[in-house]
Amino acid sequence: MAYEAEISGYSETGFAILKNAFEASMVDSILCEVCDVFRPILKCHGISSSESVGAEFGVALEELFRQDMSAYLSAAKATQSVPGLHAFGAGHEMIELVRQFGLAQPLIAVRPVVHILSDFLRVSEGYHRTPPHQDWRSVQGSLDSIVVWLPLVAVNRDFGAIEVIPGSHLEGLLETRRDRFGNVVKESLVDNERFVPVEAEPGDAVVFSMFTVHRTGKEQRSGIRWASSFRYNNAANPDYAAHGYPNPFNYNSQDDLLIDGFPKPCDVRAVFSMLS
């Protein structure tokens, strides 16, 4: 079995770093597709950016953030809907990796998440780096549920590494306090000296239990740290099945128009006239 040593140690530590789990080119394609979501909005705001995803593109995002934070946040949210990200999370390689951690019948717990981290893209009234938390609190799925965290750029202790507390998953669900981030593990239950930074390259996979306490590291040099994460439940878990597969997420549509007066009939006709 691939990664036998890492998976064996997972039961004790609650996390595993799988080097070269995926082709780096596949991860690069996801990053390109994610960044491409921003380009039409950058164009609408007259902001030039190179076709690359390097420093020049980062400067363009910072300018968009300064000009129109709402547009930036909408685009950032839209990155979670790119087809490549969903295909990757549901693909054969990913599901086989998940099964190696004991999830006999994997279920996608929630849509993938894209993590965009930069001090220049910080929303003053929102959270920036995630505080200590356990993902199970928000997902409430199977007890063996896992997170697969993928760096889309090289991540180290000086550039936005996630930090985990080894063995914290064995303490079960911890008491929390409310926070603008969500539920944060109470400070009295967290020993900051136990956090370990996780360094990883594109193509590596960081897998951890949804009970493992983790946070975003405080250190980050200039630039944007891009990452994505996927969450999975196990339909074969007896407790999860007995509880009827509980799901705390509600996806509801809004019938009221978000853009007042749009679309007019002429707007719709214009679209279809271009197809004829």
Side-chain angles (χ1 to χ4, degrees), residues 203-217:
D204 298 345
V206 181
V207 181
F208 54 92
S209 163
M210 285 201 198
F211 288 100
T212 299
V213 177
H214 60 288
R215 68 183 182 187
T216 309

Side-chain angles (χ1 to χ4, degrees), residues 55-87:
E56 185 177 344
F57 182 75
V59 171
L61 285 194
E62 293 170 17
E63 180 58 27
L64 174 62
F65 187 85
R66 283 190 288 267
Q67 285 191 25
D68 191 341
M69 184 188 299
S70 178
Y72 164 80
L73 292 175
S74 293
K77 183 178 180 181
T79 62
Q80 300 180 50
S81 299
V82 297
L85 194 67
H86 287 253

Side-chain angles (χ1 to χ4, degrees), residues 38-215:
F38 289 94
R39 299 190 193 280
I41 289 186
L42 289 171
K43 184 177 180 180
C44 286
H45 285 72
I47 303 171
S48 63
S49 68
S50 69
E51 291 303 310
S52 71
V53 296
E56 185 177 344
F57 182 75
V59 171
L61 285 194
E62 293 170 17
E63 180 58 27
L64 174 62
F65 187 85
R66 283 190 288 267
Q67 285 191 25
D68 191 341
M69 184 188 299
S70 178
Y72 164 80
L73 292 175
S74 293
K77 183 178 180 181
T79 62
Q80 300 180 50
S81 299
V82 297
L85 194 67
H86 287 253
F88 191 86
H92 175 75
E93 286 186 80
M94 177 66 83
I95 298 306
E96 287 305 305
L97 182 151
V98 169
R99 286 197 173 105
Q100 290 189 62
F101 285 83
L103 279 67
Q105 290 182 255
L107 294 176
I108 296 172
V110 65
R111 63 189 176 195
V113 178
V114 175
H115 308 277
I116 307 171
L117 188 62
S118 167
D119 287 337
F120 289 102
L121 303 175
R122 179 174 185 172
V123 180
S124 59
E125 296 302 318
Y127 70 89
H128 184 44
R129 291 177 168 82
T130 58
H133 66 285
Q134 297 172 301
D135 280 13
W136 198 92
R137 176 70 69 171
S138 62
V139 175
Q140 298 184 47
S142 63
L143 297 180
D144 54 359
S145 56
I146 64 172
V147 179
V148 181
W149 190 90
L150 300 181
L152 302 181
V153 296
V155 171
N156 55 45
R157 66 185 64 219
D158 298 321
F159 192 55
I162 60 169
E163 298 178 345
V164 302
I165 296 183
S168 55
H169 63 306
L170 299 177
E171 299 171 21
L173 188 61
L174 300 176
E175 190 176 356
T176 61
R177 62 169 176 80
R178 293 296 300 168
D179 184 85
R180 55 190 173 187
F181 163 75
N183 285 294
V184 175
V185 176
K186 283 192 172 182
E187 285 78 0
S188 60
L189 302 176
V190 176
D191 181 357
N192 290 318
E193 297 300 318
R194 293 176 59 196
F195 277 106
V196 174
V198 178
E199 300 185 319
E201 301 280 339
D204 298 345
V206 181
V207 181
F208 54 92
S209 163
M210 285 201 198
F211 288 100
T212 299
V213 177
H214 60 288
R215 68 183 182 187

Side-chain angles (χ1 to χ4, degrees), residues 229-244:
S229 59
F230 307 81
R231 290 156 181 78
Y232 300 90
N233 286 314
N234 181 15
N237 179 266
D239 292 315
Y240 188 40
H243 292 153

